[in-house]
């Protein structure tokens, strides 16, 4: 067998192994969607300002990290795969609108008369964005990137840990300000799962 063929086979085997080891990037995106929607569903108009603020800050932090990961890793991979880009043309502007609302919420107190309305506006935008991604973009990705889903998932896991680490104090602050236990456990579980997968992949490669 020629050296070039052996190298190609080794790369294919490594890609197959990586795909089996890591959650796919599309499933990671779906898990992010599920997590932030669960936080939305716990927000109630009648909740205390302390709990509202904790839930809003948690949702906003999760959305910021999620948007950054998609823009750095997922969207470039999709563009390179020659998808028509229709959904992605809307995705970055939608991220920017979410960031605008997040900035607005961070400048408000939970007792502000417009606080609930602003968070509900953010929630509606996110629900629309999630529906577009889950009905069109993620199925496209699973068709166009089927040989790279695990590899990209591992890359996203590694980058998530890098982005989230400096914000650990922010998460702890939200918890202390009255984050409901179920949300706290969900967020903690996601972080622990990401850490486990990242360490497992590093140990495998060394």
């Amino acid at each position: 067998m020629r050296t070039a063929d052996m190298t190609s086979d080794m790369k294919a085997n490594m890609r197959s192994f990586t795909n089996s080891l890591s959650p796919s990037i599309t499933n990671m995106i779906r898990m992010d969607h599920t997590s932030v929607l669960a936080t939305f569903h716990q927000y109630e108009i009648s909740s205390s300002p302390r709990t509202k603020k904790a839930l809003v800050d948690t949702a906003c932090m999760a959305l910021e990290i999620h948007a950054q990961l998609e823009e750095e890793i997922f969207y470039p991979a999709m563009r390179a795969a020659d998808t028509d880009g229709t959904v992605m043309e809307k995705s970055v502007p939608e991220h920017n609108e979410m960031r605008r609302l997040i900035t607005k919420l961070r400048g408000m107190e939970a007792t502000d008369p417009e606080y609930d309305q602003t968070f509900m506006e953010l929630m509606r935008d996110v629900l629309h964005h999630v529906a577009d991604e889950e009905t069109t973009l993620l199925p496209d990705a699973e068709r166009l990137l089927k040989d790279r889903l695990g590899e990209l998932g591992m890359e996203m896991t590694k980058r998530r840990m890098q982005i989230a680490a400096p914000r650990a104090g922010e998460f702890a602050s939200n918890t202390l300000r009255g984050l409901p236990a179920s949300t706290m456990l969900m967020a903690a579980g996601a972080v622990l799962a990401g850490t486990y997968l990242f360490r497992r992949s590093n140990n495998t490669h060394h």
Side-chain angles (χ1 to χ4, degrees):
M1 182 179 291
R2 293 180 303 173
T3 302
D5 292 336
M6 292 177 64
T7 301
S8 178
D9 287 346
M10 287 175 64
K11 287 181 178 178
N13 289 336
M14 180 59 71
R15 186 177 294 115
S16 176
F17 176 71
T18 300
N19 283 334
S20 66
L21 178 68
S22 302
S24 70
I25 191 169
T26 49
N27 282 340
M28 292 185 73
I29 289 170
R30 289 187 182 98
M31 285 189 286
D32 281 355
H33 291 166
T34 299
S35 179
V36 77
L37 293 179
T39 304
F40 283 161
H41 288 311
Q42 292 184 62
Y43 187 94
E44 296 180 358
I45 304 298
S46 59
S47 295
S48 70
R50 180 187 181 95
T51 297
K52 286 182 179 181
K53 188 71 172 173
L55 286 166
V56 168
D57 287 350
T58 297
C60 290
M61 180 172 64
L63 288 169
E64 286 173 328
I65 292 172
H66 177 77
Q68 184 174 344
L69 290 169
E70 285 192 326
E71 290 170 12
E72 288 185 5
I73 299 170
F74 182 54
Y75 294 166
M78 287 296 288
R79 291 188 187 101
D82 292 328
T83 186
D84 64 15
T86 303
V87 174
M88 284 193 302
E89 283 178 6
K90 300 188 298 178
S91 292
V92 174
E94 286 173 356
H95 282 176
N96 290 336
E97 175 60 15
M98 285 187 275
R99 290 183 178 108
R100 184 189 71 80
L101 291 170
I102 287 169
T103 299
K104 183 178 179 180
L105 282 163
R106 288 209 169 111
M108 302 167 73
E109 295 296 329
T111 52
D112 191 300
E114 295 184 10
Y115 195 78
D116 293 332
Q117 178 183 340
T118 303
F119 188 58
M120 295 302 167
E121 185 179 351
L122 175 63
M123 188 185 303
R124 284 193 298 272
D125 285 353
V126 170
L127 287 169
H128 175 76
H129 181 76
V130 166
D132 276 349
E133 287 200 338
E134 297 210 357
T135 58
T136 305
L137 191 57
L138 297 185
D140 281 351
E142 286 165 342
R143 176 174 54 86
L144 295 165
L145 302 172
K146 60 183 179 181
D147 294 330
R148 298 190 61 210
L149 294 174
E151 169 196 342
L152 290 167
M154 186 175 291
E155 184 179 347
M156 181 174 275
T157 298
K158 180 179 179 180
R159 184 63 179 133
R160 184 190 303 275
M161 299 305 295
Q162 292 170 342
I163 296 170
R167 306 188 71 167
E170 186 179 343
F171 171 74
S173 175
N174 292 340
T175 303
L176 291 172
R177 285 190 289 115
L179 192 63
S182 56
T183 301
M184 183 175 67
L185 288 171
M186 180 178 293
V191 171
L192 287 171
T195 303
Y196 168 75
L197 288 167
F198 180 46
R199 288 177 177 169
R200 183 179 172 189
S201 66
N202 277 350
N203 290 337
T204 302
H205 290 307
H206 289 308

